[in-house]
Amino acid sequence: MVRIPGFTRDSIEYGDFFMDRYEVTNREFKAFVDAGGYRSPDLWGHPFVLDSVELSFEEATSRFTDQTGRPGPGTWRLGTFQEGQGDFPVGGVSWHEAAAYARWAGKQLPTTIQWGRGLLYARQNNFVTVPRSNLEASGPRRVGEGDALTTLGVDDLVGNIRAWCLNEAGDGQ
């Protein structure tokens, strides 16, 4: 993990926080799945709402399946990732799945303000980070492969695969 220094924005003080140096890999996410992450309601701390109706844990998690109906990311088959993809960033996960994984790992998703603060360091180091980022490739690359580090050492904060934040953009926190 990388420490991101605290800051003040709109007269609000934000303390130091940590971000993962690398994206979560398929292998890391599989450890969560294999540990029963999809069967542990205590990891899924946010309500599941579909068309203004709150779903039960069982109803909601039954929708978070791979291509063969097993618990896991929508890009997986038969409860696992494709051969040779263990070191690639996990994709095909919902916000709920990402938040549950983070809780299981003892972390939390960054807020949009935290993400933006981390991104600030990518902008300051634009001459290195952006050209090495995976912005126009035909698919994700292995985690850490491109050496697209921000000045603080967060890799692939720009590009490679989409990421989730704790809150919606515009919420301000």
Side-chain angles (χ1 to χ4, degrees):
M1 300 210 57
V2 174
R3 186 180 70 73
I4 309 291
F7 59 99
T8 303
R9 179 174 169 181
D10 298 328
S11 301
I12 299 173
E13 295 276 332
Y14 294 91
D16 294 359
F17 61 95
F18 290 87
M19 291 184 88
D20 281 342
R21 181 176 302 275
Y22 300 105
E23 300 155 302
V24 175
T25 65
N26 281 306
R27 184 175 288 103
E28 291 167 326
F29 199 86
K30 181 140 176 43
F32 161 73
V33 174
D34 292 347
Y38 281 80
R39 298 184 308 273
S40 301
D42 55 311
L43 296 175
W44 303 69
H46 303 278
F48 304 97
V49 179
L50 178 64
D51 297 328
S52 301
V53 176
E54 188 167 337
L55 304 177
S56 71
F57 174 76
E58 293 77 17
E59 290 172 315
T61 55
S62 72
R63 298 169 180 266
F64 303 134
T65 61
D66 70 12
Q67 297 172 18
T68 58
R70 297 181 186 195
T75 56
W76 291 8
R77 294 183 50 79
L78 300 172
T80 194
F81 48 88
Q82 291 181 357
E83 187 174 333
Q85 297 291 307
D87 295 327
F88 283 74
V90 66
V93 295
S94 70
W95 178 88
H96 285 284
E97 291 165 292
Y101 170 84
R103 182 176 279 184
W104 174 81
K107 303 172 185 180
Q108 75 172 23
L109 298 175
T111 66
T112 54
I113 286 182
Q114 289 171 331
W115 186 266
R117 180 64 174 179
L119 193 56
L120 171 68
Y121 288 97
R123 287 189 193 117
Q124 289 175 342
N125 196 25
N126 224 0
F127 63 96
V128 173
T129 303
V130 173
R132 293 183 180 173
S133 295
N134 188 16
L135 297 174
E136 298 180 26
S138 59
R141 63 178 174 214
R142 279 185 176 76
V143 169
E145 185 177 82
D147 199 28
L149 296 173
T150 67
T151 54
L152 294 178
V154 179
D155 193 43
D156 272 327
L157 194 57
V158 178
N160 205 27
I161 196 164
R162 291 182 179 167
W164 290 107
C165 287
L166 183 62
N167 58 319
E168 295 180 38
D171 187 350
Q173 301 298 323

